[in-house]
Amino acid sequence: MRMQTPNPYTPTVGEHLRAQGISRRGFLKFCGLLASSMALAPAMIPKIAAALEQAKRPSVIWMSFQECTGCTESITRSHSPSIEGLIFDAISLDYHHTLQAASGDAAEHAREEAMKEHYGKYVLVVDGSIPLDNPGYSTIAGISNLDMLKETAAGAAAIIAVGTCSAYGGLPKADPNPTGAVSVSDIIKDKPIINVPGCPPIPVVITGVIAHFLTFGLPELDSLGRPKAFYGQNIHDRCYRRPFYDRGLFAETFDDEGAKAGWCLYKLGCKGPVTYNACATTKWNEGTSFPIQSGHGCIGCSEPDFWDFGGLYRALSIPTGSVSEKVVYAAAAGIAAGVAIGALNKKTKSDAVTAHKTVSVAELNQESQS
């Protein structure tokens, strides 16, 4: 990535695209990709186009603290818009620990110049938690994560906390939290913060949130600071295995007949009922699949303290952790009722469905339609 020299005049996104030789048709196609990434209906495309005609390309400063680079790996795989389209057409990415070509003093100079030139207007993106026990646990250019965050956040228009580590502390915060890891919102209290959790988040969710902020400003957030467009429903309610759950059909092991037939993975530890994310609808790898579709239960990675829920393969009704007891036990009560109803349905229909007969999704869909 090449650092850009500050320009007194910042063109709008529409002007920038036209300067690149993009036709009106191509511009509308770009708007269509943004609408898709923001989970908006096609009817919103003209409104996006009108907004982009006036929207300035914002300066973006992206900082990585205690993290694994998984969030950056994820965004480089975005396809709607692509990382190239995002960087070169929608935003001006002026600083990024992983993607920038500059290093050392040159890199820090780019950050300082972007902060000065766009004070009060730039977007700060953060991935990774911030250690408080000892500044030496994580430093960049000799600056502690805490000091760099506070300094850069001071002039930001808004902050996007990408990944569960920056949103809620993530894996570094897991018990016993040896570094004293905390989230961005634990430190910064005077700026709008959009949490985009996930370990890592889905690529198009990251770009979609950035695109939404560029086009319409702050999105509607839930009680945990997450955009409702992507985190408004739990995975369980949108999962294609849900019909099996409703009928009390559960895989007991990952290689039994139920697992091969696509039965519900609740008994194998799936945290879908208490996890809010777009995995079951947006999916990964350009909509190819998501963990449950690939045969593994959800681990709840977009929820606070997910690592301390208990064993990854323990059902929600028998948690072993203590950090999220209220969340897990409350969910378990409702889930237990659902399992009981499913078991009753299974018993009343035992003549048609037995433990030795696999039931396909097609059969369930046909039954529900009748």
Side-chain angles (χ1 to χ4, degrees):
M1 183 190 70
R2 184 179 64 184
M3 296 302 168
Q4 299 182 5
T5 302
N7 190 322
Y9 175 74
T10 302
T12 66
V13 174
E15 290 172 339
H16 177 76
L17 290 173
R18 284 192 292 273
Q20 299 297 316
I22 304 298
S23 65
R24 179 65 181 175
R25 182 175 182 180
F27 175 63
L28 291 176
K29 182 178 180 181
F30 178 78
C31 294
L33 291 174
L34 290 182
S36 174
S37 70
M38 290 186 283
L40 298 176
M44 292 297 293
I45 293 177
K47 293 184 178 181
I48 294 175
L52 288 182
E53 286 287 358
Q54 302 301 321
K56 300 287 187 179
R57 294 175 66 217
S59 170
V60 174
I61 297 175
W62 183 310
M63 300 189 302
S64 301
F65 296 140
Q66 283 194 141
E67 46 77 44
C68 65
T69 314
C71 296
T72 292
E73 289 282 354
S74 179
I75 197 174
T76 59
R77 288 158 175 77
S78 178
H79 66 284
S80 178
S82 68
I83 183 63
E84 296 87 353
L86 182 70
I87 292 175
F88 297 118
D89 298 331
I91 67 174
S92 175
L93 186 60
D94 295 324
Y95 181 84
H96 191 296
H97 290 154
T98 305
L99 299 179
Q100 65 192 9
S103 61
D105 291 340
E108 290 312 301
H109 179 70
R111 178 175 67 90
E112 293 163 0
E113 284 298 305
M115 291 166 56
K116 179 181 178 181
E117 182 72 23
H118 306 286
Y119 191 88
K121 299 179 181 179
Y122 60 82
V123 177
L124 173 59
V125 179
V126 178
D127 67 274
S129 63
I130 301 92
L132 297 185
D133 277 3
N134 185 331
Y137 283 136
S138 181
T139 64
I140 298 161
I143 307 171
S144 72
N145 291 173
L146 179 62
D147 288 343
M148 182 173 283
L149 173 62
K150 287 182 175 179
E151 178 188 17
T152 312
I159 302 173
I160 301 176
V162 172
T164 302
C165 291
S166 63
Y168 308 127
L171 183 54
K173 187 185 175 185
D175 187 56
N177 191 3
T179 66
V182 298
S183 68
V184 172
S185 58
D186 287 328
I187 298 170
I188 306 301
K189 303 294 185 181
D190 60 347
K191 297 289 181 179
I193 299 176
I194 307 170
N195 288 328
V196 186
C199 195
I202 300 171
V204 294
V205 171
I206 303 175
T207 55
V209 171
I210 295 174
H212 189 288
F213 181 79
L214 167 67
T215 311
F216 300 115
L218 290 171
E220 184 180 3
L221 307 177
D222 67 8
S223 61
L224 294 176
R226 303 174 296 195
K228 287 185 177 181
F230 297 107
Y231 299 91
Q233 292 181 301
N234 67 39
I235 292 175
H236 182 65
D237 288 343
R238 305 299 295 272
C239 181
Y240 78 100
R241 295 178 188 256
R242 177 62 188 266
F244 296 109
Y245 168 88
D246 291 339
R247 297 189 62 166
L249 299 174
F250 303 98
E252 301 287 344
T253 67
F254 285 107
D255 60 354
D256 67 9
E257 291 302 315
K260 295 175 183 178
W263 289 4
C264 181
L265 302 174
Y266 161 75
K267 289 188 177 181
L268 295 175
C270 182
K271 305 302 188 292
V274 295
T275 302
Y276 289 76
N277 210 332
C279 298
T281 51
T282 303
K283 302 185 180 181
W284 291 77
N285 297 324
E286 301 187 28
T288 301
S289 183
F290 70 110
I292 295 175
Q293 185 175 340
S294 298
H296 193 284
C298 169
I299 65 173
C301 73
S302 57
E303 300 303 311
D305 305 315
F306 79 95
W307 202 259
D308 294 314
F309 271 6
L312 296 182
Y313 303 104
R314 294 290 188 92
L316 283 170
S317 58
I318 48 173
T320 59
S322 60
V323 176
S324 301
E325 281 184 351
K326 292 184 179 179
V327 174
V328 177
Y329 279 113
I335 293 168
V339 172
I341 293 172
L344 178 61
N345 289 340
K346 180 180 177 182
K347 184 176 184 300
T348 58
K349 297 180 181 181
S350 59
D351 291 339
V353 182
T354 69
H356 299 290
K357 177 183 177 182
T358 60
V359 182
S360 68
V361 175
E363 289 173 324
L364 290 177
N365 289 338
Q366 183 178 3
E367 180 179 294
S368 62
Q369 293 173 0
S370 62

